[in-house]
Amino acid sequence: MPKDSGIGASSKRREDVRFLTGAGNYTDDINIRGQAYVYFLRSDIAHGKINKIDTSDAEAMPGVVRIFTGKDFEGVGGLPCGWQVTDRHGQPMQEPPHPVLAQGKVRHVGDPIAAVVADSAAQARDAAEAIVVDIEELPAVIDMKSALKDGAPKVHDDLTSNLCYDWGFVEDNREAVDKAIKDAAHVTTLELKNNRLVANPMEPRVAVGDFERGTGNSTLYTTSQNPHVIRLLMGAFVLGIPEHKLRVVAPDVGGGFGTKIFHYAEEAFCTFAAKAINRPVKWTASRSEAFISDAHGRDHVTKIELALDKDNNFTAIRTETYANMGAYLSTFAPSVPTWLHGTLMAGNYKTPLIYVNVKAVFTNTVPVDAYRGAGRPEATYQLERVIDMAARELGVDPIALRRQNFITEFPYATPVAVEYDTGDYHATMDKLEQIADIAGFAARRKASEAKGRLRGLGINCYIEACGIAPSNLVGQLGARAGLYESATVRVNATGGLVVMTGSHSHGQGHETAFPQVIAEMIGIDESMVEIVHGDTANTPMGMGTYGSRSIAVGGSAMVRATEKIINKCKKIAAHLMEASEADIELKNGAFSVAGTDKSVAWGDVCLAAYVPHNYPLEDIEPGLEETAFYDPANFTYPSGAYACEVEVDPDTGRVTIERMMAADDFGNLINPMIVSGQVHGGLAQGIGQALLENCVYDENGQLLSASYMDYAMPRAGDVPSFEIDHSACTPCTHNPLGVKGCGEAGAIGSPPAVVNAVIDALNSGGKKVAHIDMPMSPARVWAAMQG
Amino acid sequence: MTKISMKVNGKEVSGEVEGRTLLVSFLRDTLGMTGTHVGCDTSQCGACVVHVDGAAVKSCTMLAMEAEGAEVATIEGQANADGTLSVVQQAFQDHHGLQCGFCTPGMVMSATALLKDNPKPSEAEIRHYLEGNICRCTGYHNIVKAILAASGQLEGAIAAE
Ligand code: FES
Ligand code: FES
């Protein structure tokens, strides 16, 4: 019987009502009296030396308040990078400065050169057209391997080369891996590209800066997944504003997918300019501007080798990856191809020896950073593709080959530095085989063939590390931040609760799911709990939402704070009932004395805490408010098995997704409806990557896919209804809820399933096609079929 | 600047606009009705869909002046008179047809227009009709389901899975 409230119930989302009635409060909906508008004049070339910026004509245009250039930011810090990677030789990565407005050089199309502040957005845009910029165009480096050649133009003149770092993991395994590959009975080698993507949350980025002269306080309203992180980075590293004089608010945010984690120049600009001109300053990105200023994702070029013994056991994996950093280091960029990618290369398999090499490269393109999954999709894709290819080469069943190599004992320490606490990969594969009706595939293939179509079935597994992350561990790995989460639980005198969380919802439904947990713990109605998030002024310092960490880390903090509340309530209840604290039980919203019929209601205990007339004042303080900071002991490891069935039209190369299936193990679920929604969204993004989406630069660094006319977003007709299951459940062993996180799984698990399915379809038609890079556009598929 | 007047959600409104002012900025900036959203600048995403004289229109692609004298309906006017959600709105909540909510106003307005023209659309017809509405969060699964439910075609009312 499905529950109708509390943990495990598919409670309807309370936030929906405002979103469905046009009553949301997104950043662009915020207008402050007297605000001015900024328009950024951006570089239209990929690489150039700025000789002169003449703003005199523009300054005389109607409505112009002030025009800023890099000069105005000379005394101000650059945008900081939050993660330092150490290379194979023990040296720190090369870390170039990232100015708010270009200083001396532009390094990618979209690099901001000047900022025009005017009374209206239209006036600011008009005036920007009158700015005369004398730029000497320099040769640009776009392709990563060319960027590393001797004598290649340098993106940053002060660095020794375009190599950010050359990372080896685990460096001590290198020789043993080389030897295992040399000695292997079979080695499958695959070279592939993980295509560059743009996250494209539907709400473009917006920033509104405000400065209060009376108090000297600054406020920034911004489209962020983590307002506290922005406050820390911008306050401490860019503008030098102490945190108590700076408030950052991220109200309703229209999707993030990673790209709204990072601290961006426009945020610092609006905060800085508001003070400089003593007026609020607002910036709203157009979609075209988003394409050239939001951090991009993926963009790895990889060679992977999988070694097998004569019995088809995996013996070693060796990879070499080139990872594009773009022109500057975005906030968490260095961590994505390293610690979020190398550590996942064991996947679901007990391969004993693994070596991962990553060369991170500067190019004259938009910075690249985390996008849904961040590093984990790249790891999963190459691993699950190479396994599929090995199965094909060896003529064995791809599911059997996977099952044979599954990790089956937990905890399991991988050769790439992480320890999986729990999982059951056979169980998710069993579920998947049920959903997928593999036995019926042959008949479905026949039916497709009768229509002149090729049909393919692709299978794969995935594992991810989320619930990011133990602070001491990530500190050793180069993170310049802790990755705990926080919650303050405030109980009001009449028993209602407000939870102030450092976590942030931009679609994940915290306002509904978090109260379900508290309602379950106390035995009260969910409607008695309200969630406050997104404002540094009224939430404790927290690291925000990404890496599927909200419920695993933020939820755990909330549980800890609530436990403190309950413990205090038990003391109060014991006093009220003149019983021993050890005998007090909390059930269904009432405290009772074990073995008696004495009880006192939740609300009465809360009231006693605020009206402490009959109260143990000598032992405990009045009031009911507790804060907890939760630092996870380990990552969580959701896993699953995915399948895709495609039809390919051999005349056009067009691929249609006939079925998309997912069997996940997310541990315990708080709200299964929300979990399903997260998987659906991830699946569509994964299908987008596999078939449609591609961020393309020409050799001069012009972005060719810079609007929805050219960048193919998945639409309703591109995806099927999904068949998913998350009943396989091995609860996380180290957080109080036993939850693992579900936000990224769909986007991690689906691209290899789609590609494996297309390759299967083509090979069923008698063609020997080993691999096609994503996105598998009709042109690419058709070309592969002609080869 | 030119003065224009129209009816929005049944109420007479007027305001000063430039020739280049789009209907969506008239709604958002002049009238302060921020329920209608802007998600792109190439008329692709559908976050801005409203009804003009009963037809679904991308309000980022129509000049405010062109709506002079028209009857405009926006997301703010969709709920029933007693404040309860319309059938389409309620189906979106019941079936988890929204996550971040940014595409939602356009989705609801498009879905409502679809069901007016085609009260019992098939799944394929729904997916085809939504070609001009992009959602990055839901993968469309539950949007399609919500529209099927709103058209009375999910008998036995399966909750969103
Ligand atoms: S804003 Fe109108 S279609 Fe995108
Ligand atoms: S719900 Fe976020 S874009 Fe559709």
Side-chain angles (χ1 to χ4, degrees):
Chain A
M1 197 43 206
K3 292 176 72 177
D4 56 10
S5 79
I7 292 176
S10 284
S11 300
K12 287 181 200 171
R13 297 201 330 167
R14 55 177 80 176
E15 46 271 78
D16 288 359
V17 176
R18 68 175 187 274
F19 297 145
L20 282 163
T21 53
N25 182 36
Y26 298 88
T27 312
D28 193 46
D29 302 341
I30 294 171
N31 293 296
I32 306 175
R33 214 181 154 78
Q35 77 192 6
Y37 297 80
V38 58
Y39 180 86
F40 291 96
L41 177 69
R42 296 179 184 275
S43 177
D44 56 8
I45 59 167
H47 196 191
K49 188 167 157 283
I50 303 174
N51 291 326
K52 193 164 178 267
I53 305 173
D54 182 356
T55 57
S56 48
D57 288 352
E59 267 153 27
M61 301 271 291
V64 172
V65 179
R66 189 169 154 187
I67 298 176
F68 295 79
T69 64
K71 267 203 164 29
D72 297 286
F73 286 82
E74 272 167 3
V76 170
L79 303 172
C81 178
W83 202 298
Q84 185 185 63
V85 166
T86 303
D87 76 4
R88 299 178 40 207
H89 312 290
Q91 296 303 309
M93 67 188 190
Q94 298 209 72
E95 191 172 353
H98 186 180
V100 175
L101 294 178
Q103 311 238 355
K105 249 178 121 177
V106 288
R107 297 185 175 86
H108 66 86
V109 168
D111 214 356
I113 298 170
V116 182
V117 180
D119 291 333
S120 79
Q123 287 169 331
R125 197 169 55 228
D126 289 346
E129 280 177 24
I131 297 176
V132 183
V133 189
D134 172 9
I135 291 195
E136 178 188 335
E137 191 161 353
L138 300 169
V141 282
I142 306 305
D143 172 68
M144 287 189 274
K145 289 184 186 171
S146 324
L148 293 183
K149 290 212 175 100
D150 281 345
K154 282 200 283 182
V155 179
H156 295 274
D157 302 333
D158 295 340
L159 303 188
T160 56
S161 71
N162 292 318
L163 181 67
C164 176
Y165 55 75
D166 178 5
W167 185 73
F169 184 67
V170 174
E171 196 58 27
D172 292 346
N173 290 350
R174 189 183 179 102
E175 281 172 22
V177 169
D178 289 350
K179 181 166 182 312
I181 287 178
K182 227 173 83 203
D183 297 344
H186 184 87
V187 178
T188 297
T189 305
L190 174 60
E191 295 190 36
L192 52 78
K193 286 199 173 87
N194 202 293
N195 41 329
R196 187 176 179 119
L197 303 175
V198 183
N200 273 306
M202 290 318 297
E203 176 201 32
R205 286 188 299 117
V206 181
V208 188
D210 191 15
F211 178 72
E212 230 180 277
R213 210 152 42 106
T215 58
N217 291 342
S218 293
T219 302
L220 170 69
Y221 301 87
T222 182
T223 47
S224 175
Q225 302 175 215
N226 31 240
H228 280 283
V229 175
I230 303 305
R231 184 178 70 161
L232 177 63
L233 293 176
M234 182 174 81
F237 297 96
V238 188
L239 300 179
I241 307 173
E243 283 152 288
H244 60 283
K245 304 300 282 178
L246 178 59
R247 173 180 169 208
V248 176
V249 185
D252 287 332
V253 172
F257 314 114
T259 206
K260 290 177 182 166
I261 297 171
F262 321 121
H263 176 39
Y264 286 98
E266 297 86 358
E267 296 171 321
F269 178 84
C270 290
T271 310
F272 177 88
K275 184 172 178 185
I277 67 164
N278 195 22
R279 265 176 86 172
V281 174
K282 179 171 187 171
W283 171 70
T284 303
S286 67
R287 181 59 58 184
S288 307
E289 204 174 8
F291 272 103
I292 54 172
S293 67
D294 288 5
H296 294 173
R298 314 281 193 260
D299 205 353
H300 286 191
V301 176
T302 293
K303 177 180 171 190
I304 178 167
E305 294 155 284
L306 171 68
L308 302 94
D309 69 14
K310 62 176 191 348
D311 300 320
N312 297 338
N313 298 311
F314 303 162
T315 56
I317 291 168
R318 180 168 64 192
T319 76
E320 185 186 22
T321 287
Y322 292 81
N324 207 333
M325 294 285 104
Y328 303 99
L329 289 178
S330 173
T331 312
F332 290 113
S335 68
V336 175
T338 51
W339 300 107
L340 295 175
H341 160 250
T343 49
L344 270 298
M345 281 313 303
N348 309 57
Y349 313 100
K350 50 190 182 209
T351 316
L353 286 165
I354 298 175
Y355 179 74
V356 177
N357 175 249
V358 178
K359 297 174 182 74
V361 186
F362 292 111
T363 60
N364 291 111
T365 63
V366 168
V368 181
D369 205 326
Y371 164 58
R372 201 170 197 170
R376 291 151 289 176
E378 294 89 324
T380 304
Y381 179 64
Q382 54 184 287
L383 185 60
E384 293 295 329
R385 279 292 301 128
V386 82
I387 293 172
D388 229 63
M389 196 168 171
R392 200 166 290 284
E393 286 174 358
L394 296 164
V396 298
D397 174 56
I399 296 180
L401 181 62
R402 287 179 168 88
R403 283 190 184 269
Q404 169 183 350
N405 285 283
F406 275 164
I407 296 161
T408 51
E409 275 165 35
F410 297 89
Y412 177 81
T414 71
V416 276
V418 289
E419 184 175 288
Y420 303 161
D421 60 335
T422 172
D424 186 345
Y425 308 146
H426 285 295
T428 44
M429 186 59 92
D430 290 345
K431 272 278 168 243
L432 182 77
E433 290 199 42
Q434 271 172 27
I435 307 171
D437 175 28
I438 293 186
F441 176 72
R444 295 194 292 278
R445 173 173 272 172
K446 257 221 167 89
S448 297
E449 283 168 358
K451 293 187 294 179
R453 301 281 158 86
L454 301 171
R455 195 172 185 109
L457 171 65
I459 302 273
N460 66 277
C461 298
Y462 80 91
I463 177 140
E464 66 161 322
C466 49
I468 289 172
S471 294
N472 55 0
L473 176 65
V474 294
Q476 287 165 27
L477 305 182
R480 289 164 168 160
L483 285 169
Y484 50 83
E485 196 47 87
S486 63
T488 296
V489 176
R490 176 180 297 161
V491 186
N492 296 317
T494 53
L497 293 92
V498 182
V499 181
M500 287 144 278
T501 170
S503 185
H504 186 274
S505 178
H506 29 281
Q508 297 88 342
H510 292 21
E511 291 168 40
T512 301
F514 279 36
Q516 291 181 241
V517 174
I518 294 200
E520 177 91 23
M521 290 176 75
I522 302 177
I524 52 173
D525 204 77
E526 288 167 19
S527 64
M528 287 175 70
V529 187
E530 190 76 13
I531 303 299
V532 172
H533 65 95
D535 185 344
T536 59
N538 56 19
T539 57
M541 170 78 175
M543 302 311 288
T545 289
Y546 40 82
S548 306
R549 70 193 300 276
S550 287
I551 201 71
V553 192
S556 296
M558 181 179 67
V559 168
R560 290 278 188 262
T562 307
E563 285 167 353
K564 291 187 194 178
I565 294 277
I566 292 173
N567 287 340
K568 185 167 177 183
C569 285
K570 284 185 174 171
K571 287 192 169 67
I572 302 168
H575 178 90
L576 292 176
M577 294 186 282
E578 296 174 344
S580 150
E581 192 191 324
D583 293 336
I584 305 292
E585 290 170 349
L586 169 61
K587 230 177 125 189
N588 297 329
F591 295 90
S592 56
V593 183
T596 74
D597 57 0
K598 277 204 246 174
S599 103
V600 43
W602 164 257
D604 292 331
V605 173
C606 300
L607 190 66
Y610 287 96
V611 187
H613 295 165
N614 173 18
Y615 193 86
L617 281 167
E618 58 288 356
D619 296 331
I620 49 174
E621 296 168 3
L624 264 183
E625 176 163 331
E626 298 287 351
T627 295
F629 287 79
Y630 179 84
D631 206 280
N634 190 354
F635 295 90
T636 61
Y637 299 95
S639 62
Y642 282 34
C644 177
E645 269 184 49
V646 296
E647 267 190 359
V648 180
D649 180 344
D651 296 331
T652 62
R654 190 180 138 84
V655 176
T656 46
I657 309 274
E658 296 297 315
R659 302 179 70 200
M660 188 78 219
M661 296 150 274
D664 292 288
D665 172 1
F666 297 130
N668 294 333
L669 308 180
I670 307 302
N671 182 320
M673 175 192 82
I674 291 177
V675 170
S676 295
Q678 291 293 308
V679 176
H680 294 154
L683 292 175
Q685 289 184 358
I687 291 171
Q689 167 161 35
L691 292 186
L692 300 162
E693 299 178 40
N694 204 18
C695 182
V696 184
Y697 280 95
D698 74 7
E699 69 280 9
N700 300 317
Q702 289 299 329
L703 182 60
L704 301 179
S705 51
S707 81
Y708 289 155
M709 313 280 273
D710 310 293
Y711 186 93
M713 292 283 279
R715 308 202 180 216
D718 297 318
V719 295
S721 281
F722 305 117
E723 300 161 74
I724 67 174
D725 178 281
H726 21 69
S727 59
C729 171
T730 59
C732 172
T733 58
H734 56 78
N735 64 42
L737 292 167
V739 293
K740 296 185 176 178
C742 64
E744 297 158 298
I748 295 173
S750 51
V754 179
V755 179
N756 290 348
V758 172
I759 299 299
D760 185 53
L762 299 190
N763 281 276
S764 80
K767 292 280 173 195
K768 287 245 171 301
V769 178
H771 179 69
I772 303 175
D773 271 327
M774 304 185 290
M776 294 177 299
S777 60
R780 283 186 182 176
V781 173
W782 189 84
M785 293 176 73
Q786 311 314 307
Chain B
M1 296 290 246
T2 312
K3 184 164 179 226
I4 57 166
S5 308
M6 64 188 77
K7 246 188 187 165
V8 176
N9 299 330
K11 269 208 342 239
E12 286 291 348
V13 298
S14 59
E16 302 268 324
V17 296
E18 287 183 65
R20 63 179 167 181
T21 305
L22 300 168
L23 178 57
V24 68
S25 18
F26 179 71
L27 292 170
R28 288 183 58 83
D29 304 333
T30 312
L31 303 180
M33 297 177 67
T34 53
T36 303
H37 293 157
V38 178
C40 75
D41 45 10
T42 51
S43 196
Q44 295 278 315
C45 77
C48 61
V49 170
V50 298
H51 299 169
V52 177
D53 293 329
V57 164
K58 287 182 168 168
S59 62
C60 73
T61 311
M62 182 173 188
L63 295 170
M65 281 178 174
E66 293 176 275
E68 166 70 37
E71 296 254 6
V72 176
T74 72
I75 189 70
E76 286 94 339
Q78 292 302 296
N80 301 320
D82 64 358
T84 56
L85 298 178
S86 73
V87 171
V88 171
Q89 288 170 319
Q90 189 59 56
F92 269 69
Q93 187 190 28
D94 290 348
H95 297 280
H96 193 26
L98 63 152
Q99 292 182 23
C100 79
F102 198 80
C103 73
T104 308
M107 286 289 179
V108 168
M109 298 310 286
S110 286
T112 304
L114 165 65
L115 295 184
K116 211 177 87 196
D117 291 351
N118 182 358
K120 300 270 179 223
S122 67
E123 173 174 346
E125 285 172 335
I126 294 170
R127 289 187 181 275
H128 181 72
Y129 188 87
L130 292 182
E131 206 172 359
N133 290 80
I134 304 178
C135 173
R136 193 54 151 170
C137 296
T138 63
Y140 305 101
H141 181 108
N142 284 339
I143 291 178
V144 171
K145 202 164 169 184
I147 297 173
L148 284 170
S151 66
Q153 299 185 89
L154 266 193
E155 245 64 306
I158 323 155
E161 37 180 56

